[in-house]
């Protein structure tokens, strides 16, 4: 039986001054929908969420909400100034004078582990975010609107929130920069693009594929109707297609770097740390031997040793309060260990990025912020014109002379990154750099870190970002133990999930003889067919890339569409087929490479 939407918006339009955010927005929300709302920074996503919540009214359009439907909205930066405790924040989500439902607050406070008696003004970003989520959930709404719900949350809390959303019976609309979070939670995607709202009845994991199809279709329509391609459309298209083309090469290179890191860890683990090798000595960045640290009787780091070599990109993961920032301070000698020693390599030039420590002068222009004198800036040994460098961070040339105060929150984050990454360095420490960054900026940061030739220590709760950047992961569960794993966070998570069952099986199996152990080790490898595929797939991918390039060259002929529409149609379909085949083979190659790496560690 057909159930009508619980909320409908027709022909909505909204402008701020001369800036039109969106027009002719039509959307409907069904009970149980799990929707990701995506779009470039500043496109109006948060404003549209406010329109849906009826916090603000559109200039034009109709909004219809089914009688009895409750809508709960969590803004990105809620105002808690009128509350004395975090418990009061949570309770404020209940209807007034309804003490009978206070038990719901107790359940949510316990579930999220909220320090309920703490003043919001002195609470951490993570504590404030958990209280805001509890406030939004406590009234058990039919429609839940969440703007950047994962900001400042640690990984265990993000994973718990994913479970809550999966079991939530009402509809949910999410704005988030966390790709993995959106992929794991959404089943529908709203894309707000240049004032137009598009809908795709698939989750965010299919967004990039859909986005490229939409933009490709736009360009074909404009090109073959002899219309000028819009500059913004062309720029966006280049960004999307370039990113997809680069991803394969990057993933291959990242797998190779992870393999190198694995060999380094094996080499360190197989010899006494007192021994020196020429290779390690010449490339050494940090060497920690058996370091320990505790505060007030609580172990933060217990007997941890590591050698960090030039070019390593190491992520540090764990729940809030596990000691990730403390470990960075120990490894960079900003804090002395209780036991053990830390040695830092010669000629180390460190750049430290922490959004809370970088301040921008609102009166200065972007130009003066980066370059107080002249028009060139020295970026890691290369002189760049300040406007060209700003363009790398997605700023328009005309923004160079604008004051910092005129920037949006996302643009200020990009400028802070530009300032930090312009510092002369060969060792980059990034403490939660992804908080409050939109996806465009995250892609940009990923590109910069991919091209960075020095060494990186990265603390982040963005699982997808960690997976795309690091060569190894240091895991801090919070009990003082610290271990390094050569691979991605997702792979580490799988290992941790399978760790306990593996131990139980091992106890039940009788002790093996040396002969049996040798035999078992010989069988831990790819099958013949898997190894053959791993060998031949790169050649097949390369041939497909050549075929795709040839077809694209033929399609770029401006007269083909009018002179031979049948051939144009055939080539277009062939191009789509080969692009799909290439993507499938790339994914197959990556899966086999990961399987091979996993088997080699057994």
């Amino acid at each position: 039986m057909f159930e009508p939407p619980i909320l409908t918006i027709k022909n909505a339009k909204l402008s701020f001054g001369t800036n039109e955010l969106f027009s002719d927005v039509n959307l409907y929300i069904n009970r149980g929908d799990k929707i990701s709302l995506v779009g470039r920074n500043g496109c109006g996503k948060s404003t549209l969420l406010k329109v849906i919540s009826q916090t603000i009214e559109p200039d034009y359009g109709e909004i219809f909400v089914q009688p009895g439907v409750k809508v709960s909205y969590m803004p990105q930066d809620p105002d808690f100034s009128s509350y004395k405790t975090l418990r009061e924040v949570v309770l404020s989500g209940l209807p007034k004078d309804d003490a009978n439902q206070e038990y719901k607050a107790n359940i949510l406070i316990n579930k999220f582990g909220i320090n309920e008696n703490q003043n919001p003004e002195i609470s951490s970003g993570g504590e404030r975010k958990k209280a805001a989520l509890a406030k939004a959930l406590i009234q058990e709404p039919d429609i839940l609107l969440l703007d950047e719900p994962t900001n400042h949350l640690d990984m265990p809390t993000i994973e718990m929130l994913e479970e809550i959303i999966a079991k939530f019976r009402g509809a949910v609309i999410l704005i988030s920069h966390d790709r993995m979070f959106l992929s794991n939670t959404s089943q529908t995607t709203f894309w707000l693009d240049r004032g137009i709202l598009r809908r795709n009845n698939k989750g965010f994991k299919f967004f990039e594929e859909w986005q490229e199809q939409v933009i490709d279709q736009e360009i074909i329509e404009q090109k073959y109707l002899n219309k000028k391609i819009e500059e913004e459309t062309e720029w966006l298209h280049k960004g999307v297609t370039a990113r997809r083309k680069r991803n394969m090469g990057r993933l291959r290179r990242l797998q190779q770097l992870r393999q190198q890191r694995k060999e380094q860890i094996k080499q360190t683990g197989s010899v006494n740390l007192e021994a020196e090798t020429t290779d390690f000595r010449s490339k050494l960045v940090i060497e920690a031997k058996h370091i320990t640290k505790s505060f007030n009787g609580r172990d933060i780091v217990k007997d941890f040793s590591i050698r960090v070599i030039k070019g390593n990109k190491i992520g540090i993961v764990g729940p809030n309060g596990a000691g990730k920032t403390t470990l960075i301070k120990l490894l960079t000698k900003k804090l002395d260990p209780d036991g053990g020693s830390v040695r830092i390599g010669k000629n180390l030039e460190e750049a430290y990025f922490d959004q809370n420590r970088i301040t921008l002068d609102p009166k200065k222009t972007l130009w003066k912020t980066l370059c107080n004198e002249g028009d060139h800036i020295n970026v890691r040994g290369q002189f760049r014109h300040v406007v060209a460098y700003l363009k790398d961070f997605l700023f328009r040339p005309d923004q160079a002379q604008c004051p910092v105060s005129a920037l949006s929150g996302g643009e200020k984050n990009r400028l802070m990154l530009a300032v930090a990454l312009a510092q002369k360095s060969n060792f980059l420490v990034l403490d939660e750099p992804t908080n409050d960054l939109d996806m465009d900026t995250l892609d940009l940061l990923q590109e910069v870190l991919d091209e960075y030739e020095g060494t990186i220590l990265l603390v982040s709760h963005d699982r997808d970002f960690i997976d795309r950047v690091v060569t190894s992961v240091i895991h801090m569960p919070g009990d003082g133990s610290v271990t390094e794993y050569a691979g991605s966070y997702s792979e580490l998570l799988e290992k941790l999930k399978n760790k306990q069952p593996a131990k139980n099986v091992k106890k039940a199996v009788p002790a093996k003889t040396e002969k049996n152990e040798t035999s078992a080790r010989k069988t831990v490898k790819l099958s013949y067919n898997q190894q053959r595929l791993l060998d031949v797939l790169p050649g097949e991918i390369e041939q497909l890339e050549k075929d795709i390039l040839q077809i694209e060259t033929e399609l770029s002929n401006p007269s083909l569409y009018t002179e031979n529409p049948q051939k144009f149609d055939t080539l277009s379909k062939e191009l789509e087929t080969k692009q799909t085949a290439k993507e499938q083979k790339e994914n197959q190659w990556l899966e086999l490479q990961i399987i091979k790496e996993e088997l080699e560690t057994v």
Side-chain angles (χ1 to χ4, degrees):
M1 182 178 176
F2 174 75
E3 185 178 347
I6 55 177
L7 185 146
T8 306
I9 295 179
K10 293 182 179 179
N11 304 320
K13 177 181 178 179
L14 183 65
S15 301
F16 288 146
T18 58
N19 179 28
E20 184 177 89
L21 281 180
F22 48 79
S23 61
D24 296 324
V25 165
N26 294 278
L27 65 84
Y28 60 88
I29 301 170
N30 291 317
R31 195 177 301 277
D33 279 350
K34 303 294 188 294
I35 301 167
S36 58
L37 174 56
V38 301
R40 289 173 61 189
N41 193 47
C43 71
K45 299 187 299 294
S46 294
T47 304
L48 180 57
L49 219 58
K50 291 176 183 176
V51 170
I52 295 170
S53 69
Q54 300 184 67
T55 305
I56 62 174
E57 292 184 1
D59 299 331
Y60 179 82
E62 299 177 10
I63 301 177
F64 175 74
V65 183
Q66 288 283 356
V69 166
K70 291 185 291 186
V71 181
S72 180
Y73 165 57
M74 188 199 78
Q76 184 171 343
D77 295 305
D79 180 11
F80 292 159
S81 58
S82 61
Y83 303 108
K84 294 180 181 178
T85 66
L86 292 175
R87 181 177 182 83
E88 286 186 12
V89 172
V90 179
L91 286 170
S92 67
L94 286 172
K96 291 181 179 179
D97 304 321
D98 197 346
N100 293 331
Q101 296 189 38
E102 196 166 321
Y103 71 93
K104 294 180 181 178
N106 298 331
I107 292 171
L108 288 167
I109 286 169
N110 183 61
K111 188 178 188 69
F112 282 108
I114 298 169
N115 187 351
E116 59 181 313
N117 295 317
Q118 193 171 61
N119 189 322
E121 294 299 316
I122 62 170
S123 299
S124 67
E127 284 291 328
R128 289 169 60 87
K129 184 65 71 174
K130 288 189 288 187
L133 283 167
K135 176 185 175 181
L137 289 163
I138 195 170
Q139 60 178 286
E140 299 176 350
D142 301 284
I143 301 175
L144 180 64
L145 309 174
L146 302 177
D147 194 347
E148 293 290 358
T150 64
N151 273 2
H152 307 289
L153 294 185
D154 58 16
M155 290 179 182
T157 309
I158 293 172
E159 289 162 5
M160 180 176 68
L161 181 58
E162 288 177 355
E163 292 178 9
I164 290 171
I165 291 171
K167 296 174 182 176
F168 187 72
R169 294 182 179 180
V172 184
I173 302 183
L174 304 158
I175 297 174
S176 178
H177 66 270
D178 188 326
R179 285 181 168 87
M180 191 174 292
F181 174 73
L182 290 181
S183 296
N184 291 344
T185 52
S186 65
Q187 298 162 352
T188 301
T189 305
F190 287 172
W191 177 22
L192 188 56
D193 174 40
R194 291 159 288 165
I196 300 169
L197 185 71
R198 295 179 171 89
R199 179 186 181 115
N200 185 30
N201 292 322
K202 289 184 178 180
F204 178 79
K205 66 178 67 175
F206 301 99
F207 171 66
E208 284 195 358
E209 177 186 345
W210 172 51
Q211 180 189 40
E212 189 169 3
Q213 288 172 356
V214 171
I215 296 170
D216 280 342
Q217 185 61 37
E218 277 189 16
I219 288 178
I220 289 172
E221 288 173 0
Q222 292 169 351
K223 191 170 186 177
Y224 295 105
L225 290 174
N226 296 317
K227 290 184 179 179
K228 182 183 177 183
I229 299 174
E230 294 178 7
E231 183 180 347
E232 188 174 3
T233 306
E234 186 177 20
W235 177 87
L236 183 58
H237 176 261
K238 285 179 180 176
V240 172
T241 55
R243 181 169 67 243
R244 287 171 67 84
K245 287 178 181 177
R246 286 193 298 264
N247 276 351
M248 179 59 183
R250 281 184 178 155
L251 285 169
R252 284 179 180 172
R253 183 163 64 254
L254 195 54
Q255 289 292 341
Q256 291 169 355
L257 290 172
R258 284 174 179 164
Q259 184 59 38
Q260 290 173 16
R261 183 58 183 160
K262 184 178 291 183
E263 294 302 318
Q264 291 168 0
I265 293 172
K266 284 181 181 177
Q267 189 171 351
T268 302
S270 61
V271 297
N272 191 304
L273 275 173
E274 299 299 327
E276 292 286 359
T277 65
T278 303
D279 185 50
F280 275 135
R281 183 181 295 175
S282 62
K283 296 182 180 180
L284 183 71
V285 175
I286 297 171
E287 181 180 58
K289 298 179 180 179
H290 308 293
I291 58 172
T292 62
K293 190 67 182 178
S294 62
F295 291 113
N296 300 322
R298 180 196 161 204
D299 291 324
I300 305 298
V301 177
K302 293 189 295 189
D303 193 22
F304 178 57
S305 300
I306 189 174
R307 269 185 173 140
V308 180
I309 309 302
K310 179 182 177 182
N312 290 161
K313 298 175 182 179
I314 301 174
I316 304 177
V317 300
N320 286 339
K324 301 184 292 295
T325 301
T326 300
L327 179 62
I328 282 182
K329 289 179 179 178
L330 290 169
L331 294 178
T332 54
K333 299 194 77 171
K334 293 180 178 64
L335 185 66
D336 292 329
D338 296 337
S341 64
V342 177
R343 180 162 66 99
I344 292 179
K346 295 179 180 178
N347 304 318
L348 201 63
E349 294 178 294
E350 178 187 320
Y352 192 99
F353 177 76
D354 177 356
Q355 286 183 351
N356 296 323
R357 288 177 52 177
I358 294 180
T359 56
L360 300 172
D361 185 343
K363 296 179 182 178
K364 274 191 173 183
T365 64
L366 277 66
W367 186 305
K368 289 295 183 182
T369 298
L370 286 166
C371 185
N372 208 34
E373 296 181 0
D375 56 9
H376 280 73
I377 181 172
N378 190 331
V379 181
R380 296 186 295 279
Q382 291 186 342
F383 280 95
R384 301 285 308 282
H385 192 281
V386 65
V387 174
Y389 185 61
L390 282 168
K391 285 175 70 176
D392 287 349
F393 287 82
L394 309 180
F395 290 105
R396 301 186 310 274
D398 61 284
Q399 288 181 285
Q401 298 295 351
C402 289
V404 170
S405 59
L407 299 180
S408 68
E411 288 171 330
K412 287 177 182 175
N413 287 330
R414 291 209 300 272
L415 184 59
M416 283 192 289
L417 280 175
V419 171
L421 296 172
Q423 296 177 37
K424 186 179 179 182
S425 72
N426 53 24
F427 177 46
L428 193 57
V429 180
L430 301 165
D431 196 352
E432 295 290 1
T434 60
N435 279 341
D436 304 312
L437 297 186
D438 65 330
M439 289 184 188
D440 283 338
T441 312
L442 283 172
D443 282 336
L444 172 68
L445 179 57
Q446 182 192 335
E447 289 186 22
V448 172
L449 298 185
D450 180 65
E451 294 165 2
Y452 187 74
E453 294 180 355
T455 305
I456 296 172
L457 281 183
L458 167 67
V459 175
S460 176
H461 294 308
D462 190 318
R463 298 158 295 175
D464 180 78
F465 188 78
I466 286 273
D467 281 356
R468 290 168 181 250
V469 170
V470 304
T471 55
S472 65
V473 178
I474 293 176
H475 182 228
M476 301 183 71
D479 59 1
S481 63
V482 185
T483 53
E484 183 182 10
Y485 169 74
S488 68
Y489 172 74
S490 296
E491 293 164 356
L492 169 65
L493 203 59
E494 282 301 312
K495 274 186 169 291
L496 293 174
K497 286 179 180 177
N498 297 329
K499 189 175 181 181
Q500 188 60 42
K503 283 185 177 179
N504 293 338
V505 171
K506 189 174 181 181
K507 287 179 182 178
V509 175
K512 295 180 182 177
T513 64
E514 184 177 342
K515 182 177 179 181
N516 286 339
E517 288 178 348
T518 304
S519 175
R521 281 196 297 269
K522 287 181 180 178
T523 62
V524 181
K525 61 181 182 179
L526 291 176
S527 69
Y528 171 81
N529 288 336
Q530 286 176 321
Q531 185 60 54
R532 185 174 179 280
L533 273 174
L534 195 62
D535 294 336
V536 302
L537 278 172
E540 293 178 357
I541 292 168
E542 185 177 356
Q543 183 58 50
L544 281 168
E545 288 174 342
K546 290 178 181 178
D547 294 344
I548 289 168
L549 181 61
Q550 183 179 345
I551 294 170
E552 287 176 339
T553 302
E554 290 188 64
L555 285 172
S556 65
N557 181 357
S559 61
L560 178 62
Y561 182 75
T562 53
E563 294 178 359
N564 195 341
Q566 186 175 357
K567 183 178 180 182
F568 176 83
D569 185 57
T570 302
L571 286 173
S572 297
K573 290 177 180 177
E574 187 178 354
L575 177 63
E576 185 177 352
T577 301
K578 288 189 179 292
Q579 286 174 331
T580 301
K582 175 174 167 284
E583 186 172 349
Q584 289 173 345
K585 289 181 183 295
E586 287 174 346
N587 290 335
Q588 193 176 15
W589 182 90
L590 286 170
E591 287 170 4
L592 287 170
Q593 187 67 30
I594 290 170
I595 292 171
K596 181 181 180 182
E597 184 177 329
E598 288 294 319
L599 290 175
E600 289 173 351
T601 63
V602 175

